[in-house]
Amino acid sequence: KEAFWLGVNVPGLGRSPVNPLATLGFGILGFGHPSFWLLGLGLETGYLTLLATNPRFQNWVDGRSRITGEAAARDRRQELVGKLSRGARDRLTAIEQKCARTLEVYRETQADAYVVEGNRDALDRLTWIYLKLLVARDHLQATQAQTNAAELERRIADLEKTTGAAGITPTSASLRESQQATLKLLKQRLANLARCGQTIQEVDSDLERIEAQIDLV
């Protein structure tokens, strides 16, 4: 694909996709004489084969893809950092400073380049996981703040008392069915709130583990 759409700088026109234009030209000429289609197909096949299998061109394409991927990752990272609370952002900054100091020590001791790069990649992966855990923790805490467990328990108790009352008419039966459905939803919310607290504890444990790993490095 990159070989087919590769642009060439043309004086007066700037960067132009010459190959697609040439292919279009042979396609048009082929309506005048079909041999142009065969000629164009042969030239195009030879061009794509030579360029797409050229090691330098392959390295260039790989480099472009890597740069694009890194830019997208940086944008995504900045987006996540912008969503962090003040405390979470401070924790992330502290971790990043430790990572930077670690790499500086490697450079000062003149460690081999592959050692430095290997540790850089490992630290980058850890900080990326750390960032996503911080975002998850903030979301979970926001959920807890928006939900009052005591209020849920009170509403559940009231509905249980109401749905357990004696005397059922066609109208009250419909009402009771609606109340029982509401009661079920409230119990599910209360259970989710309890799981939310447990998940926060698990996230805190993961964050502490990553901090310990970086301290060890």
Side-chain angles (χ1 to χ4, degrees):
K1 182 180 177 181
E2 290 286 349
F4 181 84
W5 292 105
L6 181 65
V8 177
N9 289 321
V10 179
L13 296 177
R15 196 166 188 81
S16 302
V18 175
N19 182 61
L21 294 176
T23 304
L24 178 62
F26 277 105
I28 295 173
L29 291 172
F31 287 104
H33 198 292
S35 61
F36 282 106
W37 287 339
L38 184 60
L39 176 61
L41 178 62
L43 292 174
E44 182 66 12
T45 302
Y47 162 77
L48 291 178
T49 301
L50 288 173
L51 188 57
T53 57
N54 183 283
R56 290 183 60 187
F57 181 75
Q58 291 175 346
N59 291 336
W60 178 77
V61 173
D62 289 342
R64 279 188 52 184
S65 300
R66 185 164 52 252
I67 292 172
T68 302
E70 291 174 353
R74 283 195 300 270
D75 292 342
R76 176 59 176 158
R77 185 183 182 285
Q78 289 303 317
E79 180 183 351
L80 291 178
V81 171
K83 295 179 179 179
L84 291 177
S85 62
R86 177 65 181 274
R89 196 176 295 121
D90 290 342
R91 291 182 70 176
L92 178 64
T93 300
I95 285 295
E96 290 176 335
Q97 289 175 346
K98 287 183 179 180
C99 292
R101 175 56 184 157
T102 300
L103 294 174
E104 182 181 347
V105 169
Y106 277 117
R107 286 191 292 268
E108 289 174 351
T109 56
Q110 297 182 342
D112 292 332
Y114 76 90
V115 174
V116 177
E117 287 303 314
N119 280 278
R120 185 196 304 277
D121 291 341
L123 292 173
D124 284 345
R125 285 194 296 271
L126 283 175
T127 54
W128 178 242
I129 296 172
Y130 193 83
L131 170 58
K132 290 193 288 186
L133 286 170
L134 288 174
V135 172
R137 189 178 190 280
D138 279 353
H139 283 310
L140 291 167
Q141 286 187 319
T143 299
Q144 279 190 325
Q146 294 168 0
T147 308
N148 189 318
E151 175 63 18
L152 281 178
E153 291 172 347
R154 184 192 64 77
R155 291 176 62 188
I156 289 172
D158 290 344
L159 281 174
E160 287 178 336
K161 186 184 300 182
T162 301
T163 55
I168 300 178
T169 64
T171 303
S172 64
S174 177
L175 175 61
R176 181 171 297 182
E177 183 179 348
S178 175
Q179 290 174 334
Q180 287 174 338
T182 303
L183 178 61
K184 182 179 180 180
L185 291 173
L186 291 177
K187 287 182 176 180
Q188 288 176 342
R189 287 186 61 193
L190 190 60
N192 286 341
L193 189 61
R195 283 196 294 270
C196 182
Q198 180 182 353
T199 304
I200 289 177
Q201 292 178 348
E202 294 171 356
V203 169
D204 283 337
S205 178
D206 288 336
L207 289 170
E208 291 173 1
R209 177 172 56 83
I210 291 176
E211 290 169 354
Q213 283 182 299
I214 291 177
D215 286 338
L216 178 61
V217 176

